[in-house]
Amino acid sequence: MEIGQHIDALERAGLDFVDAAEKAGLDAPVPTCPDWTVRDLVQHVGYVHRWATAYVRDARAAVLTDDEEEQAVGPMPADADLVPWFQAGHLALVDRLRAAPSDLTCWHFLPADSPLAFWARRQAHETIIHRADLHAASGQSDGVARDLGVDGIDELLMTFYAARGSRLRCDAPATLAVEASDAPNSWTVRMGPTGADITRGTDTAADCTLRGPASDLYLALWNRRTTADLHVNGDPAVLSLWRSSATIRWT
């Protein structure tokens, strides 16, 4: 996907996020984020948007210090102002990304074609996945277009876990293949005692293969939906291992 497509996806997801937050109410629990309420989720994503905006706006080459990050985000508003605060931060991020030069140089934390490509893609998927959390809180269904689902799976597997594969450890080697049923895309996750090695393409000797539409796979691999209605061939314990080990935490 192109940078402009990611920015458009971010914009749409943020608008949907607001609608879902208002429908659910700030005190509603978020089933996909245990111990969080909608309030926590709105605060979190609003914080992340302002944090990301600072790097793009200032072409910031180094990681923000704690004091600089606090200044970039600003004070957390009261409940009555929380959703408008989120909207303002989301709009500022979208505007900054659209106005940024293609040769923008700034800090980023995962492999990408460029810093601008990284921030547009990462913030799009950050917002889309947390929109799914809000939809779970308000009892709404969720999904994404096929190409966005494929892109999101690829970002998760080929950047997050290719760079941080040591998180996916298991005592005995285990291989999970992931196949999109509505696109010519697949991935293989080989886990072992020292971590994981992840490649594009299907290992036909995988211990377990998870297959389904790209949108469903995207949400399932982010642990935002069940896999009960997807095609699972082979040892289901390997899929269970993924679902218990594959967590991304904000630190």
Side-chain angles (χ1 to χ4, degrees):
M1 292 178 65
E2 301 294 329
I3 291 171
Q5 293 173 299
H6 283 128
I7 299 173
D8 289 346
L10 165 63
E11 182 175 36
R12 289 191 301 271
L15 295 173
D16 293 342
F17 188 97
V18 168
D19 289 342
E22 291 176 337
K23 286 178 181 177
L26 296 179
D27 291 324
V30 182
T32 49
C33 295
D35 302 324
W36 275 27
T37 63
V38 167
R39 178 184 296 102
D40 298 317
L41 197 56
V42 175
Q43 290 174 345
H44 167 73
V45 183
Y47 187 109
V48 171
H49 284 173
R50 285 166 169 77
W51 171 78
T53 298
Y55 288 101
V56 177
R57 179 190 64 226
D58 302 334
R60 172 82 184 197
V63 177
L64 294 167
T65 66
D66 289 345
D67 287 344
E68 290 170 333
E69 186 171 316
E70 183 177 349
Q71 184 177 7
V73 174
M76 199 62 65
D79 282 359
D81 300 318
L82 187 57
V83 171
W85 172 84
F86 171 88
Q87 289 176 301
H90 170 249
L91 178 61
L93 174 60
V94 169
D95 287 348
R96 285 292 177 180
L97 289 168
R98 286 202 170 119
S102 59
D103 61 351
L104 171 72
T105 300
C106 67
W107 178 82
H108 57 292
F109 60 88
L110 293 174
D113 291 339
S114 70
L116 181 58
F118 164 79
W119 284 111
R121 187 190 204 193
R122 178 80 293 278
Q123 290 307 299
H125 290 297
E126 174 81 8
T127 309
I128 290 166
I129 287 299
H130 286 312
R131 179 191 66 188
D133 292 324
L134 280 181
H135 282 166
S138 60
Q140 297 172 262
S141 60
D142 197 272
V144 299
R146 182 196 65 181
D147 290 350
L148 197 55
V150 168
D151 184 75
I153 297 167
D154 202 73
E155 189 215 28
L156 177 65
L157 297 182
M158 301 306 300
T159 63
F160 268 110
Y161 283 113
R164 307 176 184 189
S166 61
R167 296 186 181 191
L168 299 174
R169 295 191 183 96
C170 56
D171 293 336
T175 303
L176 173 67
V178 178
E179 297 180 346
S181 59
D182 55 349
N185 300 86
S186 61
W187 301 261
T188 297
V189 182
R190 299 175 180 87
M191 297 172 281
T194 61
D197 175 64
I198 304 174
T199 56
R200 294 185 181 97
T202 301
D203 184 343
T204 57
D207 300 301
C208 180
T209 298
L210 176 66
R211 181 176 174 83
S215 175
D216 293 344
L217 291 176
Y218 171 57
L219 294 173
L221 290 170
W222 274 102
N223 288 334
R224 260 57 182 198
R225 79 181 306 278
T226 180
T227 59
D229 58 340
L230 302 180
H231 179 73
V232 179
N233 183 41
D235 185 356
V238 175
L239 181 58
S240 296
L241 174 65
W242 167 271
R243 291 177 72 80
S244 64
S245 301
T247 56
I248 303 292
R249 295 182 175 87
W250 175 263
T251 57

